[in-house]
Amino acid sequence: MTPALEKLISHFASLPAIGRKSATRLAYHILDMNDDDVRAFAESLLEVKKAIRLCSICQCYSETEICLHCSDLTRDEHVIMCVEDNRALEAIEALHEYRGKYHVLHGVISPIDGIGPDQLKVKELLARLDDSVREVIIATNPSVEGEATAMYLGRLLKPLGIKVTRLAYGLPVGGTLEYADNTTLLKAIEGRTEV
Ligand code: ZN
C-alpha cells in the first residue's frame, strides 16, 4: 500500500457507512479512472462546498439566497414543518403532498454529544414566527433525541399561542424519515397530533 493510496482510503473510510473494505475498493476504483473523470469528481467536491449555502429563511441547503420552497408563493405560509436535516426535507418533498413551508434545524438536541438548542437553528425559527404562522409541525426523527427536541420545541412554542403538532409515528423507533416508505410517512403527517 503506497502512502497516497493509504491517504485516499482513510478519507473514504471517514465517510458514513463506508468501512475499510469499501474504502479500499473505492480508492482502487479511483486509481483506475481516467484523469478527466477524477478531476471532475474532485472539482464537484469543492463546488458543492462553494455553491451551497443556507437559505436565509428556512436554513435548508440552497444555491440561492432564498430557496425554492421559501420563494414558492403557492405554498401555505401558515404552516411550518421542522425537520432535522435536508435529507428529511427531501423525503417529505418526494411525497408531493405537503404544501406548507419548512424549517431545517440542522440536528437534534443531544446532551451526550454536547448539542443543545443553541447549536440548532432554533432562534432562526423563532424569528419567523409572526401572527401569520398558525401551526408548527415537528417532524424530527423518532429517536430519543428527536423526541427530546420535539418536547423542547413544544414547550417553547406553545406559550406563543401557536398550534404545535408532532408526526404520528407508525415509524420504527430509531428510524429516520429519510428511509421511511411513502405510505408510512404520509400517514405520519396526516395523523399528526397536538403536543
Ligand atoms: Zn428556504
Side-chain angles (χ1 to χ4, degrees):
M1 189 74 64
T2 77
L5 202 51
E6 186 59 55
K7 191 163 139 190
L8 185 56
I9 290 170
S10 66
H11 278 299
F12 275 126
S14 71
L15 299 173
I18 307 276
R20 172 89 194 168
K21 246 184 196 169
S22 300
T24 305
R25 200 170 68 230
L26 291 170
Y28 276 108
H29 181 78
I30 297 280
L31 204 52
D32 289 337
M33 282 162 65
N34 70 49
D35 287 358
D36 286 345
D37 287 346
V38 174
R39 189 170 300 113
F41 184 40
E43 278 167 6
S44 81
L45 293 178
L46 297 171
E47 191 188 334
V48 85
K49 288 297 289 179
K50 215 166 17 185
I52 297 182
R53 52 167 135 182
L54 301 184
C55 165
S56 61
I57 299 173
C58 75
Q59 311 297 314
C60 80
Y61 288 127
S62 171
E63 296 196 20
T64 47
E65 160 85 24
I66 294 173
C67 76
L68 294 174
H69 314 301
C70 287
S71 48
D72 183 347
L73 297 175
T74 69
R75 300 191 79 115
D76 183 358
E77 59 180 13
H78 305 300
V79 182
I80 296 177
M81 185 184 289
C82 279
V83 291
E84 285 185 33
D85 51 33
N86 255 77
R87 299 190 304 272
L89 185 157
E90 297 301 341
I92 305 274
E93 268 307 277
L95 299 173
H96 302 293
E97 288 287 337
Y98 175 69
R99 296 297 299 158
K101 302 280 187 177
Y102 289 101
H103 191 83
V104 182
L105 295 168
H106 288 275
V108 275
I109 295 171
S110 175
I112 264 182
D113 303 309
I115 300 171
D118 291 349
Q119 274 88 38
L120 309 178
K121 302 293 182 187
V122 173
K123 59 175 189 304
E124 289 82 354
L125 173 64
L126 291 175
R128 295 176 66 185
L129 301 178
D130 54 25
D131 292 344
S132 72
V133 178
R134 284 199 302 260
E135 178 180 356
V136 171
I137 304 170
I138 303 172
T140 47
N141 290 324
S143 61
V144 173
E145 295 80 11
E147 288 302 328
T149 308
M151 276 172 61
Y152 171 82
L153 289 175
R155 275 200 298 264
L156 191 68
L157 303 182
K158 272 188 358 192
L160 306 176
I162 296 167
K163 183 178 175 188
V164 183
T165 55
R166 172 90 173 113
L167 296 197
Y169 281 105
L171 298 175
V173 172
T176 63
L177 298 193
E178 188 188 349
Y179 298 118
D181 67 85
N182 286 359
T183 315
T184 308
L185 200 46
L186 203 55
K187 277 193 177 151
I189 297 171
E190 284 167 353
R192 65 186 185 270
T193 49
E194 206 158 338
V195 297

